[in-house]
């Protein structure tokens, strides 16, 4: 698509698509909708809380006390717990919650379910994800410094979006602190993988700002040529010049060659020493008494994190022969370096008008830039059976992910209206993934008769691939909730209701170009990249150099969603013995997703891209207060999980977590879920225990499947299974070791132990699909682990100057993707994580912290029938930081 066409779509796309979605709903085309989650503030139980305890045991008990008051099954983490455990962001902190596992340091799996079954809110509102391959936000983008607390709700309640699978994570920030505070921290870190030199290229890696300097982006000359000619072939350009004849063809070939010089070709890969990581943060908060009962508050903070990680991986792909796997691709020597820059900023204001009115604003900016060089040595399907030939594949991947959220919210009590309570929020958020100038190319290595190796760039029409990607998401949502307390005899009741509106628009664009080297000699192709594609070589007509913009893939699309929702609920607390919560939510969901051709035209029928869905989603929770310390819970709900926009749009993309090629499927349906929970909780002093059972019935669960005939390259897509179920048990405990006597008992009193275990089973029934010859039609859900365990041993000294935390986490093996063509399913293997954090506080305002990660030196592995499909060396790392607070 031309740059001018893209500009026009970017400018008017949102309004056009939203109007089109609404119009389509009115004429009732009858499609079935998929994908979206939608924001709504948490219940009034989600009160602002700042732990001021200096001890980790106390902060853990404080979070447990708030969890105790929640009407629905929920887990909480306070900022003190997050800080003392050494967690740098929301993702690593949530790994310690019962039944949660962390995938690729970014995404949370709840109760062993995949990330599609979790959702994320920011202060009760949904915000867009800057990762186009996921509907949920990568939680590693939220630094620990901006988090007041994390709430994980595992049982559905009607004020939440109906798109609720395994759980919902609400990231809460504060605007009015309890007292003036100033915090500054600096730190450094190092990984065991970084003892070797890293990979870099001109203009890459070491940019501290995390911003492209312009050399990677598509050049004005190239953009202008696309606008003028469309497809950049000599024939097409000649037609645009006035017709196909010898003169116009010659001129067109000259134009094509000249456009080759408009690309950044100074990308030769070199080796350089790896610098130590660096991170720093500063925050300030205060409250001001403006008048009697009028308080103004401010919280602001900035954080910066620069890290470098060397990469060591293996990657294989197999066909099956009898009972054995035969490799089609085999890359056992993959090296690379990833440079990452993370920045965040927060500015929150709050105003309290007496005890009944509170208004807050929150502005949060997150930026995450990744610059990666990866070099793969091994064999593709063309060389796997040739002993004297191999490949060296080089890829340079650069992406900037940003998210900006502006929110205004309020809470009000009206004593003169029967104590009516009202809360509301309006959030405008924008996310962007900008990926300019990504490059891939392959050198062939041929062993000569004398033992020497002759390496040369592949002579091919697609010898080099450039891509320029840009995806923008805009969301707006508003919601309000009202609560009216009533008393009837021994029963205290609360009537509640609310409304929520959510809209989302997306504009995704990708330009792909190839370099044609068929006219080069092998001697010319044996040089470095910059030498092969020097200006003189490109402009030399004898070399026959050409560029072409790829037209075989639909990379551009426009999409929009709208949700109107309302709910009503009732809470009854009878004589402080029973608490009943029941309610129902109604959602009207509309979605449109329009794949576009390279010329900017609609690909396919509009009716294939419109999805409509509405329904009622009930929830019930019953709490029995057996004693003051013991309570039992029961919950039931009906919810939905909708496909992501990318999954229903038939465009091709590369999953950044797996490097698999993935294409969407427009025929996906939503997954309807029936859930039931039973839970027993015991709270005693600072200790607590819980035991729960859960069951989920899934209709039309969405599964990632491998498409057949991918010819040595893994190609994934999505299909609905027929049905599925997940059931299991989870247990949690927090215990101070104060039950012993004597000197040992006095020492043990400084320790506490906390842990949780989730054991579960899952099963789906899935039918065969055209183009996807699945091996097992009855199996576990993709991404499901049969067990998840966390264990934490904590120490607090009597003088509060020393504390330490040893944390262990492990998950059971889970299906990475289902097997096809008689191959068994591929399983990601258990990863045993052991981390240690030690803090020393020489003064009350100073802290020195040491963190050690992956002490067991575990690796990430995906196996298929005992053979390695993917392996990633994680390495061990340490971090040292100093912080000062006032």
């Amino acid at each position: 698509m031309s740059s001018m066409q893209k500009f026009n779509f970017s400018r008017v796309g949102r309004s056009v698509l939203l109007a089109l979605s609404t119009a389509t709903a009115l004429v009732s085309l009858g499609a079935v909708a998929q994908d979206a989650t939608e924001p709504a503030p948490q219940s009034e139980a989600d009160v602002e809380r700042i732990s001021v305890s200096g001890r980790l045991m106390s902060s853990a008990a404080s979070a447990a006390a708030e969890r105790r008051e929640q009407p629905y099954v929920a887990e909480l983490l306070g900022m003190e717990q997050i800080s003392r455990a050494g967690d740098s962001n929301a993702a690593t902190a949530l790994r310690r919650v019962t039944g949660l596992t962390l995938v690729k340091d970014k995404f949370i799996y709840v109760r062993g379910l995949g990330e599609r079954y979790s959702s994320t809110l920011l202060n009760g509102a949904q915000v867009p994800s800057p990762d186009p391959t996921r509907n949920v936000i990568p939680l590693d983008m939220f630094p620990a410094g901006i988090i007041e607390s994390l709430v994980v709700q595992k049982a559905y309640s009607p004020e939440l979006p109906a798109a609720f699978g395994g759980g919902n994570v609400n990231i809460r920030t504060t605007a009015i602190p309890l007292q003036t505070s100033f915090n500054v921290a600096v730190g450094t870190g190092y990984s065991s993988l970084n003892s070797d030199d890293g990979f870099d290229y001109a203009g890459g890696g070491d940019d501290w700002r995390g911003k492209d300097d312009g050399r990677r982006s598509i050049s004005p000359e190239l953009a202008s040529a696309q606008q003028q000619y469309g497809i950049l072939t000599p024939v097409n350009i000649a037609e645009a010049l006035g017709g196909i004849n010898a003169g116009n063809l010659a001129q067109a070939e000259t134009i094509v060659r000249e456009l080759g010089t408009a690309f950044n070709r100074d990308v030769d890969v070199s080796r350089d020493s790896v610098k130590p990581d660096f991170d720093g943060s500063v925050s300030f908060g205060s409250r001001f008494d403006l008048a009697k009962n009028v308080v103004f508050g401010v919280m602001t903070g900035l954080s910066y994190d620069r890290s470098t990680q060397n990469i060591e991986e293996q990657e294989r792909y197999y066909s099956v022969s009898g009972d054995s796997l035969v490799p089609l691709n085999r890359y056992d020597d993959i090296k690379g370096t990833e440079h990452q820059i993370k920045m965040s900023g927060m500015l929150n204001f709050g105003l309290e008008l007496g005890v009944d009115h509170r208004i807050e604003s929150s502005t949060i900016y997150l930026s995450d830039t990744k610059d990666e060089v990866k070099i793969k040595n091994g064999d593709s399907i063309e060389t796997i059976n040739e002993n004297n030939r191999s490949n060296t594949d080089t890829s340079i991947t650069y992406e900037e992910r940003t998210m900006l959220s502006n929110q205004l919210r309020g809470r009000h009590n009206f004593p003169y209206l029967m104590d009516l309570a009202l809360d509301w929020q309006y959030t405008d958020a924008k996310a962007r993934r900008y990926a300019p100038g990504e490059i891939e190319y392959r050198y062939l290595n041929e062993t000569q008769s004398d033992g020497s190796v002759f390496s040369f760039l592949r002579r091919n029409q697609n010898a080099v691939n450039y891509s320029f990607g840009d995806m923008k998401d805009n969301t707006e949502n508003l919601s309000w909730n009202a609560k009216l307390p009533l008393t009837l005899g021994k029963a205290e009741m609360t009537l509640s209701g609310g409304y929520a509106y959510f809209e989302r628009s997306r504009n995704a664009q990708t330009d792909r170009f190839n370099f044609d080297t068929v006219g080069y000699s092998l001697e010319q192709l044996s040089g470095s990249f910059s030498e092969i594609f020097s200006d003189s070589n490109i402009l030399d007509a004898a070399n026959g150099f050409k560029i072409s913009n790829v037209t075989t893939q639909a990379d551009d699309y426009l999409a929009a969603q709208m949700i109107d929702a309302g709910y009503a609920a009732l809470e009854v607390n009878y004589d402080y013995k029973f608490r009943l919560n029941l309610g129902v939510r109604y959602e009207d969901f509309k979605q449109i997703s329009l794949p576009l051709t390279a010329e900017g035209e609609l690909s396919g029928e509009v009716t294939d891209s419109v999805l409509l869905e509405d329904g009622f989603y009930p929830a019930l929770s019953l709490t029995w207060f057996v004693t003051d310390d013991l309570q039992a819970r029961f919950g039931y709900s009906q919810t939905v999980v909708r496909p992501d926009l990318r999954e229903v749009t038939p465009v091709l993309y590369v999953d950044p977590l797996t490097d698999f090629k993935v294409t969407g499927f427009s025929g996906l349906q939503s997954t309807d879920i029936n859930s039931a929970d039973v839970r027993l909780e015991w709270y005693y002093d600072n200790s607590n225990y819980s035991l729960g059972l859960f069951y989920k019935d899934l209709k039309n669960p969405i599964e990632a499947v491998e498409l057949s005939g991918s010819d040595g390259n893994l190609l994934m897509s999505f299909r609905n299974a027929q049905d599925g179920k997940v059931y299991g048990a989870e247990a949690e405990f927090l215990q101070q070791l104060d039950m012993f006597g004597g000197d040992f008992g006095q020492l043990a009193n400084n320790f506490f132990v906390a842990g949780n275990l989730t054991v579960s089973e899952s099963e789906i029934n899935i039918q065969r699909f055209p183009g996807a010859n699945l091996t097992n039609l009855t199996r576990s859900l993709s991404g499901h682990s049969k067990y998840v365990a966390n264990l934490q041993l904590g120490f607090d000294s009597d003088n509060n100057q020393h504390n330490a935390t040893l944390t262990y986490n492990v998950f059971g093996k889970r299906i990475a993707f289902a097997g096809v063509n008689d191959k068994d399913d591929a399983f990601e293997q258990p990863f045993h994580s052991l981390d240690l954090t030690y803090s020393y506080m020489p003064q009350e305002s100073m802290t020195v912290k040491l963190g050690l990660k992956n002490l067991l030196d575990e690796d990430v592995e995906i196996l298929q029938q005992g053979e390695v499909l993917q392996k990633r060396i994680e390495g061990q790392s340490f971090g040292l930081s100093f912080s000062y607070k006032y």
Side-chain angles (χ1 to χ4, degrees), residues 703-732:
E703 288 285 292
V705 299
E706 179 185 349
L707 299 182
S708 302
S710 48
D711 197 27
N713 292 296
L714 195 61
L715 177 62
M716 305 295 295
S717 189
F718 307 94
R719 297 294 187 271
N720 287 104
Q722 294 168 310
D723 54 65
K725 58 185 177 182
V726 184
Y727 56 92
E730 56 187 17
E732 180 180 11

Side-chain angles (χ1 to χ4, degrees), residues 32 43 55 85 87 95 168 242 276 382 542 558 567 586 601 634 671 765 843 885:
V32 178
S43 64
R55 299 174 67 85
D87 300 317
R95 185 180 59 177
N168 175 274
E382 293 88 0
L558 300 174
Y567 80 93
Y586 172 78
E601 303 295 332
F634 169 77
T671 303
N765 297 303
Q843 299 180 14
K885 64 180 180 180

Side-chain angles (χ1 to χ4, degrees), residues 1-13:
M1 192 188 337
S2 72
S3 59
M4 181 61 71
Q5 288 169 317
K6 291 180 179 179
F7 172 78
N8 290 337
F9 275 122
S10 176
R11 180 164 52 86
V12 304

Side-chain angles (χ1 to χ4, degrees), residues 267 269 392-395 439-443 457 463-465 529:
V267 291
V269 176
T392 298
D393 295 350
T394 301
S395 63
I439 307 171
E440 294 181 347
Y441 57 89
R442 169 177 293 174
Y443 273 76
L457 186 74
V464 181
N465 308 119
F529 190 92

